[in-house]
Amino acid sequence: MTFWHIFLAFFLPGILGYGGGPASIPLIENEVVDRYEWLSVNEFTEVLALGNALPGPIATKMAGYIGYQEGGWFGAFVGVFATVAPSLLLMVAFLGLVYKFKDSPRVKNMSTYVKPTIAVLLGIMAYQFFAESYISVGWMHTLFLAAASFLLMEKVKVSPVFVIIGSLGYGAVFLA
Amino acid sequence: MTYLNLFLAFFRSGMLGYGGGPSSIPLVHKEVVGKYKWMNDEEFGDVLALGNTLPGPIATKMAGYIGYRVAGITGLFVSLLATILPTIILMILLLTSLREFKDQPWVQGMTKGVIPVVAVMLAVLTWQFFDSSKKGLGLKLSLFHIFAGVILLQFLGVHPGIIIGALLAYALFGPLKGTDKKKASVREGEETG
């Protein structure tokens, strides 16, 4: 049953995640935190943060790690397979068909129509993480870390890797 | 040699792609079009457009498909594994070794320190999706979708899959307005131009 659940938990976000890996993050959270309760919000944050700090596609890293935690190496394989295989098969098998209708307004509308909903899902998660941080470290640390990381990543264009390493160091010293 | 080159091309773009799959797209382009010349710019653009039309992670779709085009099914697997395997193994090793120190105060502090940073990353992604939805749907319709989305998801607890499924069905089978056609042709012009 566990492997079947791992498959389902990552198949749905994979097949519904329009707009690349990041679009499937809130969908993954919905499955692994809310539905199957494999991870707490806190643990999910750790996985997401580390996933963002490491290079490579985010959806498969999360699927691999959470699958591993729930079902060992085979679980990792099942999670990654469920994330990657359906859309890749679609891409290879139906290439001719989709290619033919690539410029059709209907096919283009598909990704346009889901974007606001993905924005809402991501926004809800951002809100939850801010709320969580406010509860555990108070508004001053939260505000400082949020403002500093926003400025560094978005304005100074520092790589997220260094920002995350910096926040880990800040936490180890000031939030211990 | 082809398999080794495919492995190297996607290993490099996977390992250097910080910030999730989309950030590795220009790196893949550099390898596939620039270095190994497996495709020209136009073909690569088609693969990218098609990859964006289909659901699921973009980096693995591109790796799999380009690998398949260059060297068949084995090429598909080589490129796919080169993209995902190294970072997954790194992630599992790091997180499991971190678990052992879980109850140390400084490790708990680290966990707390990183939450606001992730919140900011998600907020930035939220903004990017909103921004690109404004371009496709217009401001009013985007705000309406967002308002409806918040109510359905947050207050009525509807599964996101149902909403996304309904929106996709509407895109495919719903009425097609004149403005949609116009917008589609404008966007085509932008992409090819």
Side-chain angles (χ1 to χ4, degrees), chain A residues 14-23 27 30-31 35 42 45-58 60-61 64-65 68-69 73 80 83-84 87-88 91-92 95 98-99 102-103 105-110 112-126 129-130 132-133 136-137 142 145-146 149-150 153-154 160-161 163-164 167-168 171-172 175-176, chain B residues 14-18 20-22 46-47 49-61 64-65 68 76 80 83-84 87-88 90-92 94-96 99 102 105-106 109-126 129-130 132-133 136-137 142 145-146 149-150 153-154 159-161 163-164 167-168 170-174 176 180-181 184 187-188 191:
Chain A
I15 205 76
L16 293 171
Y18 278 84
L27 301 168
N30 198 67
E31 301 293 325
R35 188 204 296 261
N42 238 324
T45 317
E46 282 174 51
V47 177
L48 185 55
L50 189 68
N52 269 321
L54 290 173
I58 181 76
T60 49
K61 265 179 295 184
Y65 174 69
Y68 175 78
Q69 189 193 297
W73 288 104
V80 173
T83 305
V84 168
S87 58
L88 182 55
M91 180 120 175
V92 174
L95 185 79
V98 184
Y99 203 81
K102 172 170 68 82
D103 296 325
R106 287 185 186 281
V107 171
K108 288 202 162 178
N109 273 347
M110 288 172 74
T112 311
Y113 281 13
V114 297
K115 271 178 188 156
T117 307
I118 301 291
V120 170
L121 287 166
L122 288 163
I124 291 173
M125 276 181 74
F129 280 11
F130 279 125
E132 169 104 26
S133 175
S136 72
V137 301
T142 303
L145 284 165
S149 59
F150 178 78
M153 284 187 290
E154 295 303 312
V161 193
V163 177
I164 285 176
S167 75
L168 292 171
L175 305 175
Chain B
M15 285 305 276
L16 294 172
Y18 280 90
D46 281 346
V47 175
L50 187 69
N52 270 322
T53 305
L54 291 170
I58 182 75
T60 50
K61 265 180 296 185
Y65 178 69
Y68 177 75
L76 183 152
L80 192 58
T83 304
I84 60 179
T87 54
I88 292 176
L90 214 59
M91 176 115 174
I92 292 176
L94 278 175
L95 271 171
T96 42
R99 277 282 138 91
K102 209 175 158 37
W106 60 273
M110 284 166 84
T111 309
K112 289 175 189 159
V114 86
I115 291 178
V117 181
V118 177
V120 166
M121 286 175 167
L122 289 166
V124 169
L125 270 178
T126 307
F129 271 89
F130 176 66
S132 103
S133 127
L137 290 175
S142 297
H145 273 263
I146 283 176
V150 170
L153 292 163
Q154 189 72 344
H159 191 283
I163 298 172
I164 293 174
L167 287 166
L168 292 177
Y170 184 78
L172 281 179
F173 306 112
L176 198 59
D180 282 344
K181 279 179 203 155
R187 257 178 285 148
E188 258 167 56
E191 275 162 18

